[in-house]
Amino acid sequence: NAGVTQTPKFQVLKTGQSMTLQCAQDMNHEYMSWYRQDPGMGLRLIHYSVGAGITDQGEVPNGYNVSRSTTEDFPLRLLSAAPSQTSVYFCASSTLAGYNYEQYFGPGTRLTVT
Amino acid sequence: GNSVTQMEGPVTLSEEAFLTINCTYTATGYPSLFWYVQYPGEGLQLLLKATKADDKGSNKGFEATYRKETTSFHLEKGSVQVSDSAVYFCALSDRGFNKFYFGSGTKLNVKP
């Protein structure tokens, strides 16, 4: 049982480049989400999904795109990288059953945009 | 709306000292409350949780009580260890919407 996995662990991009951060979970969770973590700002929600084919915006969605074609995978796409997107990105998942809503986090992707 | 406010850090303590990290929240409904811990270079791990008023969450010597009257969920530990050095995040989830709201995190440094 791998839980939530993220790839890559580290990435350096040049301004204007695009890339996809991968996230997968093997717990059959309905809910998946992407956060960015910046110093002194905690975690901010970028996008989330409550099931395959359903996505919605979080607090800071601009410059990012997501899709959810399967229950397991929830990739995050940076359309045209900017230095302001330098951050640590975390993917998380949880079940929607009951009121538990405990989120399980991946190990993170540290992204630097130059 | 929903939000979480945590005390600013860093908090520096000597080993075996008593720890309190304050957390207050604003919520429109009846949220569940969580404390997560992040060790250096790692993702967030659930430390403890409480799903209704007056519930006490506990794990690894840490405790927090869901206080609806003061909208608080303060984290406490009676005797901290060097291995407790980490960043602690308070969070709430909004039932029915399944969104999580995190505080800004409090860094704890424990010195031997």
Side-chain angles (χ1 to χ4, degrees), chain B:
Chain B
N2 298 311
S3 66
V4 176
T5 303
Q6 282 181 244
M7 63 186 287
E8 287 194 22
V11 174
T12 301
L13 296 173
S14 298
E15 210 166 19
E16 299 183 4
F18 185 86
L19 168 71
T20 300
I21 300 178
N22 291 337
C23 170
T24 56
Y25 68 89
T26 302
T28 53
Y30 299 95
S32 295
L33 301 174
F34 305 82
W35 276 101
Y36 280 83
V37 59
Q38 184 181 32
Y39 298 103
E42 297 184 11
L44 278 71
Q45 304 172 25
L46 179 68
L47 181 59
L48 54 84
K49 65 184 179 187
T51 58
K52 61 182 188 297
D54 299 325
D55 268 3
K56 178 187 281 189
S58 61
N59 186 25
K60 299 181 183 179
F62 291 89
E63 292 183 341
T65 301
Y66 188 144
R67 301 282 187 202
K68 188 165 179 282
E69 63 277 11
T70 54
T71 61
S72 64
F73 192 56
H74 304 321
L75 182 68
E76 296 182 337
K77 186 175 185 183
S79 176
V80 293
Q81 306 300 313
V82 172
S83 57
D84 294 326
S85 298
V87 180
Y88 293 81
F89 291 91
C90 185
L92 71 83
S93 73
D94 191 341
R95 297 188 197 185
F97 297 96
N98 203 30
K99 282 188 178 180
F100 261 62
Y101 300 84
F102 284 87
S104 56
T106 302
K107 184 171 185 178
L108 171 66
N109 296 317
V110 181
K111 297 187 173 180

